[in-house]
Amino acid sequence: MDGPAFAFSIYLAQQRRRSVHTVRAYRTAAERLLAFLTEHWGQPVDRAALARVSAGDLRAYLARRRGVEAAPAGGLTNASAARELSAVRAFLDWANGSGSAPVLKGPRVKKGLPRPIAPAEAVALVADVAEESDEPWVAARDWAVLLLLYGAGLRIGEALSLTGAVLPLGETVAVLGKRAKTRIVPLLPEVRAAIEDYVARAPWPMTRDAPLFRGVRGGALSPGVVRVKVQRARGRLGLSDRTTPHALRHSFATHLLGRGADLRALQELLGHASLSSTQVYTQVDAAHLLDVYRNAHPRA
């Protein structure tokens, strides 16, 4: 298990406080690069040898990953190739010092806008998911989880990482976000009432260290369960394939901005490290207004 990729993953988890998903993805990319270099150079590669990696080596690696050598029409998309390059550059910077990775321009990626859903559709989606369950406590749980996404702007992982320590609920809740950063999120009365109703119905004890949201067997509720429920509901309601749990968070942000929310305040609510991540919602709102204009204005 020991090796550069493993040591890199420990660094990411312990010193950079990256998420489990990021650590796994970056470690896998590092292992792929090491395997490629071993074949490419014809000898084993240790951390010291990574100092030899050139821009040409990285181009050859990305060409292999994108399937250029064997399948010109297949391989990675531009977005996936850009993420792969970012991961291996981070690995090389870790191995040899910040800024040591070869300079290599990545593929151009067109940045898409978040796709919010209309308020009525968001409420209909949440209600449909809850109504689908025959178990009252499960229905209450699903209603509470999805309202946290739409009514408080939480990521699905943030909602499911809450424990019984948040009880009894107040007007706000402390949320552990990306890179282990905690933020304080206000709870609307409707959201707070939904969580309290679920807690009252749940057949499991709500101890401080136990997950707040439970699966049917008592363990932590899986994000995959929530995603499947939302997928089924959007099919029944005829909503777009982009209607996902994360789209509820996008909708929270877009609808607040449309009602005049301050961009800095929205950044704090969403837990964005950079304001640039939040500014994308100004484009979403402008795009929405343009759609309204085109669909409704007689001279559009």
Side-chain angles (χ1 to χ4, degrees):
M1 181 174 289
D2 291 343
F6 175 70
F8 177 52
S9 70
I10 297 299
Y11 160 77
L12 290 174
Q14 296 183 354
Q15 296 187 38
R16 298 299 303 277
R17 294 185 176 183
R18 294 299 182 92
S19 71
V20 173
H21 302 294
T22 298
V23 171
R24 184 186 303 119
Y26 275 42
R27 176 180 176 178
T28 301
E31 290 171 341
R32 282 194 292 259
L33 178 65
L34 289 169
F36 169 80
L37 292 174
T38 298
E39 177 187 346
H40 191 57
W41 291 344
Q43 60 185 36
V45 179
D46 58 14
R47 180 170 177 174
L50 291 172
R52 295 167 43 203
V53 176
S54 67
D57 293 324
L58 287 185
R59 288 192 194 94
Y61 170 69
L62 287 179
R64 174 72 62 84
R65 286 288 294 135
R66 298 192 71 168
V68 172
E69 297 174 356
L76 299 178
T77 63
N78 279 2
S80 297
R83 286 193 295 269
E84 186 84 3
L85 179 59
S86 176
V88 297
R89 282 180 54 83
F91 176 49
L92 295 174
D93 277 344
W94 163 83
N96 303 303
S98 180
S100 62
V103 176
L104 181 64
K105 189 175 181 180
R108 297 185 63 179
V109 180
K110 183 178 180 181
K111 190 172 183 179
L113 295 178
R115 296 294 182 91
I117 58 179
E121 291 178 341
V123 174
L125 178 75
V126 175
D128 189 88
V129 170
E131 291 168 0
E132 184 64 15
S133 177
D134 294 329
E135 287 282 351
W137 78 269
V138 173
R141 178 201 68 190
D142 295 344
W143 176 261
V145 168
L146 294 179
L147 276 191
L148 271 172
L149 309 190
Y150 180 57
L154 270 61
R155 302 176 178 93
I156 183 65
E158 293 171 345
L160 300 188
S161 68
L162 295 175
T163 69
V166 302
L167 303 174
L169 293 172
E171 294 185 350
T172 62
V173 64
V175 176
L176 187 65
K178 288 187 173 181
R179 302 191 182 184
K181 290 185 178 180
T182 301
R183 70 182 188 278
I184 304 301
V185 177
L187 289 179
L188 295 172
E190 293 85 351
V191 178
R192 189 164 61 248
I195 298 173
E196 290 171 343
D197 180 55
Y198 155 69
V199 170
R201 295 173 181 271
W204 314 102
M206 293 295 169
T207 57
R208 289 185 60 82
D209 296 332
L212 177 64
F213 296 109
R214 310 289 191 87
V216 293
R217 296 183 180 179
L221 177 61
S222 166
V225 170
V226 180
R227 293 189 181 101
V228 168
K229 285 173 174 280
V230 169
Q231 182 181 18
R232 291 172 179 168
R234 78 184 182 217
R236 291 190 294 268
L237 297 173
L239 300 177
S240 164
D241 288 347
R242 292 182 178 270
T243 305
T244 63
H246 204 66
L248 292 173
R249 172 175 155 91
H250 290 323
S251 301
F252 163 84
T254 306
H255 299 163
L256 277 183
L257 192 62
R259 293 294 185 92
D262 176 76
L263 202 59
R264 284 287 183 185
L266 187 58
Q267 178 189 3
E268 292 295 324
L269 289 174
L270 293 172
H272 286 161
S274 168
L275 186 63
S276 62
S277 299
T278 314
Q279 286 174 328
V280 68
Y281 289 104
T282 63
Q283 301 176 53
V284 173
D285 195 52
H288 172 69
L289 291 175
L290 187 58
D291 285 342
V292 171
Y293 169 80
R294 286 171 173 165
N295 292 331
H297 198 284
R299 296 186 179 273

